[in-house]
Amino acid sequence: NAPTSHIQEFTNETWQARTGEPLPDHLILLMWSLIVSLYPLGGLFGALLAGPLAITLGRKKSLLVNNIFVVLAAILFGFSRKAGSFEMIMLGRLLVGVSAGVSMNIQPMYLGESAPKELRGAVAMSSAIFTALGIVMGQVVGLSTSRCTWSRTSSWPSEAPASLARSAACTASARSAARRTAPTASCCAACWPSACASARTGSTSTITT
């Protein structure tokens, strides 16, 4: 995508500042591949964490606590340039992936349980719809930003980590503002009585319809 060459250049500059020698092209590609692939790997860890987190803290509190991962990622992105560490970008990508994995699993549960019965299906589907819309908007903004800075490429690599930090910080701020004012999800006792009992007691009873 748009920032590929800029992150690769930042990685190469960082390595050259440490060792005095540039990275070979195949290692630059390997580092970029790791940066990209750590996001879905974090999503896997987040998906595994989502279930216990939702039962222990509840849906809304889990989503609020989940913002910690994004805030930590924003800090890592923001200081990676000053620290001269592309590893901080890697760790930040992993944390953003964990946050996405938790959010994509708990958010539909929260929406489905807090929405009125007649709107439950539409509200639950809105999570996937707005996720896809956000991805499209992110690609458009990233492409336009990259095009605007092609005429001054010497400054863009230094701005790439800061741009990642701003993106993560805006995401965390928007999530916190929306979820702090959102209603607490309540179980639909008439439809899922065993689910309510399981959520309150932490038992592993089987949910039957």
Side-chain angles (χ1 to χ4, degrees):
N1 52 12
T4 301
S5 59
H6 309 301
I7 297 296
Q8 288 178 346
E9 186 175 344
F10 169 69
T11 302
N12 189 37
E13 288 178 356
T14 302
W15 184 265
Q16 191 168 4
R18 293 179 187 175
T19 64
E21 297 181 358
L23 272 173
D25 290 341
H26 69 280
L27 289 181
I28 294 177
L29 182 60
L30 176 62
M31 293 297 104
W32 170 247
S33 300
L34 286 174
I35 291 173
V36 172
S37 60
L38 281 171
Y39 178 82
L41 180 62
L44 173 62
F45 294 149
L48 296 175
L49 180 64
L53 200 62
I55 293 174
T56 303
L57 299 179
R59 307 335 184 205
K60 182 178 178 179
K61 288 183 179 178
S62 296
L63 292 173
L64 289 172
V65 170
N66 187 41
N67 289 325
I68 294 174
F69 297 114
V70 186
V71 171
L72 291 176
I75 294 172
L76 290 170
F77 291 150
F79 286 97
S80 60
R81 182 74 185 184
K82 186 176 291 292
S85 173
F86 58 85
E87 294 88 351
M88 293 174 68
I89 293 181
M90 291 181 175
L91 182 57
R93 287 278 297 177
L94 181 67
L95 291 175
V96 171
V98 172
S99 176
V102 172
S103 180
M104 290 301 296
N105 282 275
I106 297 181
Q107 188 170 304
M109 287 191 286
Y110 171 76
L111 292 174
E113 292 174 0
S114 60
K117 187 175 181 180
E118 60 274 11
L119 299 176
R120 191 167 298 158
V123 171
M125 282 298 297
S126 66
S127 176
I129 293 172
F130 282 100
T131 297
L133 180 61
I135 292 172
V136 172
M137 291 177 63
Q139 292 292 331
V140 171
V141 171
L143 181 61
S144 62
T145 302
S146 180
R147 284 182 173 177
C148 289
T149 54
W150 277 346
S151 59
R152 48 189 179 90
T153 53
S154 60
S155 64
W156 171 242
S158 63
E159 291 294 326
S163 299
L164 292 173
R166 286 192 291 267
S167 175
C170 289
T171 301
S173 300
R175 283 182 180 178
S176 297
R179 288 166 183 167
R180 286 178 66 86
T181 58
T184 302
S186 58
C187 290
C188 180
C191 300
W192 301 96
S194 57
C196 295
S198 177
R200 286 194 296 265
T201 63
S203 63
T204 57
S205 58
T206 303
I207 298 176
T208 58
T209 57

